[in-house]
């Protein structure tokens, strides 16, 4: 446990390079570890979650190493040739590692046991177990589909047509990854678009994938096995979810002006920026380009200190699923009411983010109402009060969100445990302080 304290910031200024995108980093190691030939990854996020993926892929035979030049080199085993890990795979805090690798293992004739930290051991795995069992894998977990989880994979993956019951890129990806070894068609139908980095990266590694729009507007995404991935170069753009923290900090601190270069602007990830702009934020997207199959832009953010409350459309939720904690901070500082709905999934993230944000913001004197899947925040246009300590429940984004809030409160804001920040944004404290924040260990 490492308590952190955030005190009033000067206006934020400067240019900072945000670490690599977490979703793309995980996938680059999985694909590189599976592909034939060499994959060279630049800009990989070296956070604990991604390292958990690297270690697991290594434990299953992939050659993965970081060079002194900061580049990660992978020599893959070839689809169908993952080897059985000799020991339990510890996925730490990482749901993405667990669910995506769960899919890969399910499609190989190997057994594996996965566990994780106290947060991950609470998270639901039935959402991948149901389709992967239909495809022929077998699972054993604790009560309620919780880790530790034993997976018995198969070399005869059955075809499936699976309509996602929850909008989840992790579940979609787990099924597609299991499908890479199937002789039959594996189709995932998603009614609401979720992040498509798996689909993009499959193409970049030379694998066929078919995406068809159905009559009801849903997308049918199909892979068929029998192909190999070809190693390639992956240049990971900066993470829009991580960038949201300095972005909101700049917006709520009047007189701020910061630039965050080369942020991934995949349209299934950028809902937070659309929302902040609707709230009155001044954010410019400069130098927009496509790099390695993903749209990127340099974000130029000017803080006027003035945001207004809005209604966030529920349809936008999947494109900003990880950004609600920091949006709640922006809403708490805004003038007027912000209504957020369709948030049921927030209850099964690294923590119950609805309850934990509502609790922490209430402590800071913010008026709010929490529903089963909604949060309404009544901002007054003035910073909430600080002088409180918030529990982070092993959730990096809760920790970072309250550190952002502490940049505007009169009294400092503390979190009991800042350690989880290392899972996704290892240099968060230094980077924020370089911009003008005052975040310290206490
Ligand atoms: C992720 C998908 C999302 C997101 C997570 C990363 C991914 O989870 O919250 O941080 O890389 O596929 P769900 O698929 O559970 O919504």
């Amino acid at each position: 446990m490492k308590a952190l304290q955030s005190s009033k910031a000067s206006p934020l200024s400067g240019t900072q390079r945000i670490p690599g995108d977490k979703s793309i980093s995980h996938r680059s190691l999985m694909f590189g570890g599976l592909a034939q030939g060499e994959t060279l990854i630049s800009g990989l996020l070296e956070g604990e979650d991604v390292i958990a993926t690297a270690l697991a892929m290594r434990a299953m035979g992939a050659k993965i190493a970081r060079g002194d030049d900061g580049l990660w080199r992978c020599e893959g085993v070839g689809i169908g040739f993952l080897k059985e890990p000799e020991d339990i795979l510890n996925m730490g805090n990482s749901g993405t590692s667990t669910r995506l690798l769960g899919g890969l293992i399910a499609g190989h004739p190997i057994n594996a046991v996965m566990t994780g930290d106290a947060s991950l051991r609470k998270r639901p795995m039935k959402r991948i177990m149901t389709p992967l069992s239909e495809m022929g894998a077998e699972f054993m977990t604790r009560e309620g589909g919780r880790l530790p989880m034993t997976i018995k994979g198969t070399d005869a993956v059955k075809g499936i047509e699976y309509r996602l019951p929850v909008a989840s890129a992790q579940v979609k990806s787990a099924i597609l990854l299991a499908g890479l070894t199937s002789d039959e068609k594996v189709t995932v139908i998603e009614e609401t678009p979720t992040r498509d980095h798996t689909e993009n990266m499959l193409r970049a590694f030379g694998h066929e994938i078919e995406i068809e729009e159905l009559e009801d507007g849903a997308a049918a995404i199909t892979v068929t096995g029998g192909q190999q991935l070809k190693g390639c170069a992956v240049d990971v753009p900066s993470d829009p979810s991580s960038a949201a923290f300095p972005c909101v900090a700049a917006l709520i601190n009047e007189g701020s002006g910061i630039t965050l270069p080369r942020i991934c602007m995949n349209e299934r990830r950028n809902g937070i920026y659309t929302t902040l702009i609707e709230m009155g934020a001044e954010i410019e997207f400069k130098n927009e380009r496509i790099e390695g199959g993903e749209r990127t832009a340099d974000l130029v953010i000017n803080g006027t200190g003035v945001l207004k409350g809005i209604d966030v459309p529920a349809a936008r939720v999947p494109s900003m699923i990880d950004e609600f904690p920091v949006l709640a901070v922006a809403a708490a500082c805004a003038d007027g009411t912000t209504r957020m709905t369709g948030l049921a999934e927030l209850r099964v993230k690294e923590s119950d983010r609805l309850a934990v944000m509502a609790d922490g913001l209430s402590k800071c004197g913010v008026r709010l109402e929490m529903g089963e899947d909604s949060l309404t925040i009544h901002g007054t246009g003035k910073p909430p009060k600080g002088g409180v300590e918030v529990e982070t429940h092993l959730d990096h984004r809760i920790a970072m969100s309250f550190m952002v809030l502490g940049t505007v409160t009169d009294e400092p804001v503390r979190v009991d445990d800042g350690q989880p920040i290392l899972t996704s944004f290892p240099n968060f404290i230094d980077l924020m302080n370089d911009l003008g924040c005052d975040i310290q260990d206490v």
Side-chain angles (χ1 to χ4, degrees):
M1 296 265 263
K2 185 173 92 170
L4 293 179
Q5 172 169 298
S6 175
S7 308
K8 225 176 173 38
S10 332
L12 280 69
S13 67
T15 299
Q16 287 290 336
R17 179 158 185 168
I18 301 295
D21 184 73
K22 185 150 75 70
S23 294
I24 297 176
S25 293
H26 280 298
R27 287 160 173 81
S28 66
L29 290 169
M30 292 177 198
F31 283 63
L34 264 189
Q36 290 179 336
E38 189 183 67
T39 293
L40 202 57
I41 309 168
S42 52
L44 188 86
L45 166 64
E46 295 175 351
E48 288 173 356
D49 277 14
V50 174
I51 300 300
T53 289
L55 294 178
M57 287 303 294
R58 259 193 213 151
M60 293 190 285
K63 292 203 179 90
I64 297 179
R66 181 189 197 277
D68 294 337
D69 50 6
L71 299 178
W72 287 71
R73 287 181 173 74
C74 310
E75 283 284 341
V77 293
I79 289 177
F81 295 97
L82 282 178
K83 80 175 180 40
E84 185 164 283
E86 282 176 20
D87 204 348
I88 294 171
L89 300 175
N90 192 339
M91 303 289 98
N93 191 255
S94 177
T96 309
S97 311
T98 310
R99 299 203 178 108
L100 270 59
L101 290 174
L104 266 187
I105 293 165
H108 282 75
I110 58 176
N111 298 330
V113 184
M114 285 178 160
T115 191
D117 70 6
S119 153
L120 190 59
R121 292 197 308 271
K122 283 188 200 144
R123 299 182 66 186
M125 293 301 147
K126 273 198 187 140
R127 52 182 59 198
I128 60 160
M129 287 158 59
T130 304
L132 295 174
S133 301
E134 234 180 274
M135 296 168 82
E138 291 171 43
F139 293 84
M140 197 149 81
T141 61
R142 283 190 307 134
E143 185 66 32
R146 316 281 153 175
L147 298 186
M149 170 167 79
T150 302
I151 311 172
K152 185 171 163 45
T154 172
D155 59 1
V157 176
K158 293 192 206 109
I160 191 173
E161 185 177 293
Y162 191 74
R163 195 171 269 260
L164 293 175
V166 281
S168 167
Q170 292 183 355
V171 178
K172 169 176 69 176
S173 302
I175 299 168
L176 294 176
L177 291 175
L180 297 180
T181 48
S182 180
D183 292 337
E184 298 167 20
K185 263 190 172 183
V186 168
T187 301
V188 181
I189 298 176
E190 67 174 4
E191 286 167 12
T192 322
T194 65
R195 65 190 70 195
D196 54 1
H197 305 302
T198 299
E199 296 92 305
N200 295 343
M201 210 176 278
L202 275 171
R203 287 207 180 98
F205 277 75
H207 201 285
E208 275 172 32
I209 175 161
E210 228 178 276
I211 303 178
E212 186 197 344
E213 196 185 321
L214 303 180
E215 269 174 20
D216 64 357
I221 305 148
T222 302
V223 290
T224 314
Q227 303 171 47
Q228 282 295 340
L229 300 169
K230 288 171 218 64
C232 63
V234 182
D235 193 4
V236 182
S238 292
D239 195 321
S241 301
S242 298
F245 298 102
C247 174
V248 170
L251 291 174
I252 60 180
N253 279 280
E254 194 181 342
S256 297
I258 65 168
T259 301
L260 307 174
R262 209 171 161 257
I263 306 296
C264 177
M265 278 290 126
N266 181 312
E267 61 178 23
R268 297 177 181 207
R269 294 286 301 283
N270 63 5
I272 183 67
Y273 299 102
T274 310
T275 302
L276 289 168
I277 289 168
E278 282 175 10
M279 293 172 83
E282 282 185 19
I283 305 176
E284 273 181 81
F285 305 95
K286 294 215 163 133
N287 215 354
E288 285 190 51
R289 55 214 183 266
I290 304 278
E291 284 178 308
E294 295 285 356
R295 202 153 70 90
T296 66
D298 302 341
L299 266 51
V300 179
I301 300 147
N302 284 313
T304 57
V306 186
L307 292 174
K308 60 179 196 311
I310 60 158
D311 289 356
V312 183
R316 193 181 291 157
V317 170
S319 70
M320 53 179 294
I321 188 67
D322 292 332
E323 282 65 75
F324 281 93
V326 78
L327 177 64
V329 167
C333 299
D335 191 7
T337 297
T338 298
R339 290 181 193 83
M340 298 166 260
T341 53
L343 305 184
E345 276 295 297
L346 292 199
R347 296 211 180 261
V348 291
K349 292 294 176 188
E350 287 81 330
S351 69
D352 176 345
R353 287 184 174 157
L354 262 189
V356 174
M357 283 311 296
D359 186 44
L361 289 176
S362 300
K363 276 189 180 170
C364 296
V366 176
R367 222 161 47 78
L368 55 84
E369 290 102 40
M370 179 180 70
E372 241 345 276
D373 70 346
S374 65
L375 187 61
T376 300
I377 295 182
H378 305 284
T380 61
K382 295 197 192 73
K385 77 176 176 64
V388 300
E389 179 169 297
V390 173
E391 283 177 46
T392 58
H393 298 270
L394 289 175
D395 189 332
H396 53 138
R397 298 200 212 277
I398 298 293
M400 291 188 276
S401 297
F402 281 98
M403 291 298 92
V404 169
L405 183 63
T407 64
V408 282
T409 52
D410 276 337
E411 295 291 318
V413 173
R414 281 189 185 203
V415 291
D416 65 335
D417 187 10
Q419 205 71 25
I421 294 173
L422 297 178
T423 61
S424 69
F425 200 158
N427 60 338
F428 172 77
I429 298 175
D430 287 345
L431 185 147
M432 294 293 279
N433 288 347
D434 281 349
L435 288 172
C437 300
D438 179 5
I439 302 175
Q440 309 294 339
D441 291 351
V442 279

